[in-house]
Amino acid sequence: MPNAQRRRLVVRSAASALAVALGATALAACGSSDGDGKAESGPVSLTYWTWTPGMDKVVDLWNKGPGKKDRITVVVKKQASGDSLVTKILTAHKAKKAPDLVQAEYQALPTLVSNDALADIAKEVGDAKGRFADGVWQQTTLGTDAVYAIPQDIGPMMFYYRADLFKKYGLKVPTTWDEFAQVARQLKKKAPDKDLTTFSANDSGLFAGLAQQAGAKWWTTSGDKWKVGIDDAATQKVARFWGGLVKEGAVDNQPMYTPAWNKALNTGKQIAWVSAVWAPGTLTTAAPATKGKWAMAPLPQWSAGQNVTGSWGGSSTAVTTDSAHKDAAAKFAAWLNTDGSALQALAKESGIYPAATNAQTSGAFAAPPAYFANQSDFYTKAAEIAKTTAPSAWGPNVNVAYTTFNDAFGAAAKNKSDFVAALNTMQDATVADLKKQGFGVSR
């Protein structure tokens, strides 16, 4: 019976926040055995699926410290990241054998929640909220009173530019997107062989972050239905802006992370990059010859006087509904992402930029990245930018939207054709997929 197979996202009262009506499917709820909040007796062993490098060394701090005291041991199981991990989690959950804890990218949370794979840990970790910027915390609550994960790392977006070449060509660091377009054109007139930057159609996360900064809400709920707004006014504005620059040749239209892109950065053919806080690591590899020549500034704004940024990347630590030790797992998740020693270990061993605001300018982040040694306030400025992260609005089929972006915008960038038409294709494909999966969709 098709109706019995249908999955609906139901937004309920503040008491239950967000729940999923799964009918008689194999994805029926399987709650944690310690959901009554009582303290557990006896030793507890938790399994944690994560892709973060060096996580075993960080977890050792727990096992030898707080974990030993509370008799809670965590075992790290390294996994692949991205869609493959989400699929693996859901497959394990169908068999009621998901691990106690999982690392999950923010955009994957709605998919995991809509399949009832993640537990609401609001009662266990609600007091952690004050450690994070509002826009960051919101990504783990899906805009409800529930808490489905603890933020771990974030990727606030910012503007990187070759300070020496901006000075050489008399260019002003843009504070608005209109100024950004003007700078791109000015550079073309003064140095036709150079580009300010490129629009990379293989980076759906970058485009999503730019739309987020503009105020886009790609997925929201209306009653018991999903509402898809990928083609909303904010995103159309972003699409027209970049599509116009590509069409007139003011910026390049080649993808990033290729040998050609690396060479363009390393030789000064491209002199700026719209990226995120993790950019220094990429530049170190892509453009080693330009070390010390770059500077970082806030992302250009759509209106003068605004102060908001988007997010590109980032992940969280979640407790699954299959865990028989929800309280213990939530306690570890909170420690991992709020404790000072844990956060510094994550920075040192894993190279992450922490979501917790108290760790963004201390320890490993007290001094600038070696690549940006000339900008002593790098992390101070980054922390200020991170506070302005706009709320996100993810849905249960981000993977479909992202794949369609790569195809539709890839063709549009190559052909210098209409970006808004590509956006419409992305919208239609996302809506069609939701309906195919059995979700209710409203417009």
Side-chain angles (χ1 to χ4, degrees):
M1 301 192 318
N3 288 341
Q5 299 293 328
R6 227 151 114 168
R7 293 180 293 173
R8 301 186 292 130
L9 185 72
V10 182
V11 180
R12 296 178 178 171
S13 66
S16 58
L18 186 70
V20 183
L22 298 173
T25 71
L27 298 177
C30 43
S32 170
S33 63
D34 68 341
D36 58 5
K38 295 179 181 179
E40 297 185 60
S41 60
V44 170
S45 181
L46 306 173
T47 301
Y48 177 27
W49 284 4
T50 174
W51 67 83
T52 299
M55 184 60 79
D56 51 343
K57 295 180 180 179
V58 181
V59 170
D60 276 346
L61 295 178
W62 166 268
N63 290 335
K64 295 175 181 178
K68 183 177 182 180
K69 178 181 177 182
D70 295 335
R71 297 199 294 174
I72 301 171
T73 300
V74 177
V75 179
V76 172
K77 297 291 185 181
K78 289 292 181 67
Q79 306 292 329
S81 59
D83 292 343
S84 61
L85 178 55
V86 174
T87 300
K88 187 172 182 179
I89 293 169
L90 293 179
T91 300
H93 173 59
K94 287 180 183 179
K96 300 184 180 180
K97 293 182 178 180
D100 299 279
L101 296 135
V102 295
Q103 182 177 3
E105 293 178 293
Y106 296 116
Q107 67 266 24
L109 292 177
T111 299
L112 296 172
V113 170
S114 68
N115 283 283
D116 197 46
L118 300 187
D120 175 6
I121 53 175
K123 291 182 179 179
E124 293 79 11
V125 303
D127 59 348
K129 179 179 179 180
R131 303 292 189 94
F132 307 94
D134 289 343
V136 173
W137 183 256
Q138 180 269 346
Q139 295 196 84
T140 63
T141 68
L142 308 189
T144 73
D145 291 330
V147 177
Y148 294 105
I150 302 293
Q152 181 165 299
D153 60 304
I154 56 173
M157 295 175 65
M158 44 203 67
F159 179 67
Y160 294 87
Y161 63 99
R162 281 283 300 274
D164 58 331
L165 296 182
F166 262 59
K167 183 177 180 180
K168 177 180 178 179
Y169 295 114
L171 304 175
K172 176 186 175 183
V173 178
T175 60
T176 67
W177 287 112
D178 283 343
E179 290 178 357
F180 179 93
Q182 293 170 12
V183 170
R185 297 177 185 121
Q186 290 169 4
L187 177 64
K188 270 298 177 186
K189 290 181 179 179
K190 295 179 178 181
D193 62 326
K194 297 186 182 298
D195 294 292
L196 179 62
T197 191
T198 187
F199 178 85
S200 181
N202 64 352
D203 284 280
S204 46
L206 169 58
F207 184 78
L210 291 171
Q212 178 187 354
Q213 185 214 19
K217 303 291 183 185
W218 282 6
W219 286 270
T220 54
T221 54
S222 176
D224 62 355
K225 296 182 178 180
W226 281 101
K227 186 174 183 179
V228 182
I230 291 175
D231 62 350
D232 64 9
T235 311
Q236 287 191 29
K237 178 171 62 176
V238 175
R240 287 194 185 94
F241 177 81
W242 286 98
L245 290 179
V246 168
K247 186 174 183 178
E248 70 175 86
V251 299
D252 197 7
N253 63 343
Q254 300 302 309
M256 297 188 289
Y257 309 120
T258 64
W261 180 73
N262 291 347
K263 184 178 180 180
L265 292 179
N266 204 36
T267 60
K269 187 181 184 300
Q270 283 186 26
I271 70 170
W273 185 24
V274 175
S275 188
V277 70
W278 42 258
T282 301
L283 290 171
T284 298
T285 301
T290 62
K291 178 181 178 180
K293 298 180 180 180
W294 290 77
M296 179 268 284
L299 207 61
Q301 303 292 306
W302 284 105
S303 298
Q306 282 187 326
N307 188 21
V308 63
T309 194
S311 183
W312 184 7
S315 63
S316 63
T317 308
V319 177
T320 73
T321 51
D322 292 342
S323 176
H325 311 289
K326 176 183 172 184
D327 292 346
K331 188 171 186 177
F332 167 76
W335 173 88
L336 179 65
N337 300 303
T338 63
D339 179 81
S341 61
L343 292 168
Q344 291 307 317
L346 281 170
K348 178 183 177 182
E349 304 294 345
S350 308
I352 75 159
Y353 183 74
T357 56
N358 64 307
Q360 292 170 357
T361 56
S362 61
F365 304 102
Y371 195 89
F372 282 80
N374 58 306
Q375 189 168 0
S376 60
D377 66 344
F378 183 94
Y379 283 122
T380 300
K381 184 174 290 186
E384 290 301 316
I385 292 171
K387 293 176 183 177
T388 70
T389 302
S392 64
W394 302 114
N397 61 342
V398 174
N399 60 324
V400 172
Y402 276 16
T403 298
T404 308
F405 170 87
N406 292 343
D407 294 338
F409 277 81
K414 181 179 179 180
N415 301 326
K416 297 186 176 182
S417 58
D418 187 5
F419 276 26
V420 174
L423 188 66
N424 292 336
T425 299
M426 192 176 165
Q427 166 80 15
D428 293 343
T430 304
V431 169
D433 177 74
L434 280 178
K435 292 179 177 178
K436 182 180 178 180
Q437 290 190 58
F439 288 101
V441 182
S442 68
R443 278 292 290 175

